[in-house]
């Protein structure tokens, strides 16, 4: 969906930033979003710092939205994995491109 | 932290949290609160073939990527029927969503919901049947239908998906903007999924 959204709306995106968040995703506040999400999901001590950085770049509403989307995919990931929703061919190709093993 | 939709998010998750303690479709109120408690436990209690409601909840919360068709068959052999399994998946998934959102905005974890006495409804969905996935569904299995054999769970999951991300009816709008542009939302989604070893 990331690639599809970027292509349809004429935005550039560097997909490898998903697996390597130190790389530039080319999206606004992309680095701060990736740091925030990583700290939020991993549950480390660096969440307050990551939240503050995102707040500075995207504002309070941006933090709320990033937390909301993160929560949604915590839900959806478990739902699809636990019920056996099949992985589509597109997802397999992108996983291969990112050198991941589905 | 202000977001025009923050009130709508809180309204939905506050109500869903209260409902978690009430009797469900296959689990009673105490069992559902046990699921909430187990979903919040760490990975130390995760076993591959659980034979208790709490064990299944821990597996779904902390090891969903390891679940296979054989896992779900084994859970059924161990005495937890597929309807209850679907309800556990629904409750755990929503607890993970709500806890993640609260932690993300710097809010403390909610106390466990109060269990409410009463029997589960045991309302069957006759048209649900096993297709490509590991649980019965109404129609082909996909994210919107994965919980469709337990109507209440499917409805609550859809409502949460709507306020936290996008309505299912709006998924085709690749230029959507809810403070974040769709591309930024998808960047967040992709990173969460990678950290969860989920490749959907």
């Amino acid at each position: 969906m990331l690639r599809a959204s970027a292509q349809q709306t004429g935005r550039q995106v560097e997909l490898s930033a998903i697996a390597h968040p130190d790389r530039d995703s080319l999206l606004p506040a992309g680095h701060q979003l990736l740091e925030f999400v990583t700290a939020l999901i991993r549950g480390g001590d660096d969440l307050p710092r990551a939240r503050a950085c995102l707040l500075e770049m995207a504002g309070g509403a941006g933090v709320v939205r990033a937390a909301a989307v993160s929560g949604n995919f915590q839900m959806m990931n478990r739902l699809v994995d636990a019920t056996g929703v099949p992985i589509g061919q597109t997802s397999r190709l992108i996983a291969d491109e990112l050198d991941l093993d589905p | 932290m202000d977001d025009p939709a923050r009130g709508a998010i809180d309204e939905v998750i506050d109500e869903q949290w209260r409902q978690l303690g009430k009797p469900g479709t296959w689990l009673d109120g105490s069992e559902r609160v046990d699921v909430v408690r187990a979903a919040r436990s760490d990975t130390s209690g995760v076993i591959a073939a659980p034979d208790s409601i709490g064990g299944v909840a821990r597996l779904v919360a902390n090891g969903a990527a390891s679940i296979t068709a054989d896992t779900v068959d084994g859970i059924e052999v161990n005495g937890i029927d597929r309807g209850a399994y679907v309800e556990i998946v629904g409750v755990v998934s929503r607890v993970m969503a709500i806890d993640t959102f609260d932690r993300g905005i710097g809010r403390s974890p909610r106390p466990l919901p109060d269990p409410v006495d009463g029997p589960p409804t045991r309302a069957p969905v006759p048209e649900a049947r096993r297709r490509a996935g590991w649980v019965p569904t109404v129609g082909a299995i996909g994210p919107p239908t994965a919980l469709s054999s337990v109507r209440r769970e499917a409805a609550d999951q859809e409502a949460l998906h709507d306020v936290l991300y996008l309505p299912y009816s709006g998924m085709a709008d690749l230029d959507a903007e809810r403070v974040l542009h769709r591309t930024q939302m998808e960047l967040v989604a992709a990173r969460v999924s990678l950290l969860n070893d989920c490749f959907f």
Side-chain angles (χ1 to χ4, degrees):
Chain A
M1 295 301 279
L2 173 56
R3 172 178 280 166
S5 176
Q7 285 177 341
Q8 181 164 317
T9 60
R11 288 167 166 80
Q12 286 194 310
V13 63
E14 176 53 56
L15 289 182
S16 69
I18 298 164
H20 304 283
D22 51 320
R23 296 181 187 169
D24 185 359
S25 67
L26 307 179
L27 295 176
H31 180 66
Q32 289 78 16
L33 284 167
L34 290 169
E35 280 211 324
F36 173 74
V37 170
T38 303
L40 177 57
I41 302 304
R42 285 187 174 156
D45 295 335
D46 49 351
L47 179 58
R49 186 196 58 77
R51 186 189 296 118
C53 291
L54 181 59
L55 183 65
E56 192 172 324
M57 284 297 292
V63 172
V64 169
R65 273 292 138 198
V69 175
S70 298
N72 186 69
F73 281 87
Q74 287 274 73
M75 172 173 71
M76 299 309 293
N77 288 172
R78 284 161 180 82
L79 189 151
V80 299
D81 279 344
T83 60
V85 176
I87 299 174
Q89 182 64 15
T90 304
S91 297
R92 289 185 186 280
L93 290 172
I94 291 175
D96 190 49
E97 187 176 323
L98 297 178
D99 200 23
L100 304 171
D101 184 18
Chain B
M1 284 177 253
D2 295 326
D3 176 350
R6 167 82 179 270
I9 294 173
D10 278 344
E11 190 176 324
V12 170
I13 63 179
D14 287 352
E15 176 58 20
Q16 289 206 6
W17 197 260
R18 278 192 293 274
Q19 296 288 338
L20 286 173
K22 294 185 176 177
T25 304
W26 300 103
L27 307 176
D28 65 26
S30 292
E31 289 170 327
R32 284 164 62 90
V33 173
D34 285 345
V35 170
V36 177
R37 186 183 294 109
R40 291 173 147 182
S41 62
D42 61 26
T43 57
S44 59
V46 176
I47 57 173
D51 58 0
S52 68
I53 287 169
V56 174
R58 280 190 290 276
L59 178 61
V60 174
N62 296 303
S66 71
I67 296 174
T68 65
D70 287 345
T71 310
V72 183
D73 290 345
I75 287 169
E76 190 164 53
V77 168
N78 287 343
I80 297 168
D81 72 39
R82 228 160 270 247
Y85 175 77
V86 171
E87 185 166 342
I88 294 168
V89 171
V91 170
V92 169
S93 301
R94 289 189 292 123
V95 168
M96 299 300 293
I98 293 168
D99 278 353
T100 298
F101 175 71
D102 283 341
R103 190 167 64 251
I105 63 170
R107 199 154 56 188
S108 299
R110 291 156 195 265
L112 290 173
D114 294 324
V116 175
D117 287 341
T121 64
R122 298 193 174 277
V125 178
E127 64 270 36
R129 62 180 175 84
R130 185 104 175 257
R131 295 176 168 84
W134 307 328
V135 298
T137 55
V138 179
I141 190 166
T145 61
L147 303 178
S148 56
S149 65
V150 180
R151 291 192 199 284
R152 184 60 187 270
E153 283 306 319
D156 285 346
Q157 182 270 330
E158 183 173 355
L160 203 50
H161 187 280
D162 184 339
V163 292
L164 293 179
Y165 176 47
L166 292 166
Y168 278 129
S169 60
M171 288 298 292
D173 181 2
L174 298 176
D175 199 20
E177 190 137 15
R178 276 186 161 181
V179 181
L180 299 180
H181 185 262
R182 183 73 184 269
T183 48
Q184 293 172 297
M185 289 193 267
E186 295 304 330
L187 183 71
V188 169
R191 181 67 181 162
V192 173
S193 300
L194 183 138
L195 292 170
N196 284 328
D197 287 330
C198 180
F199 296 92
F200 181 76

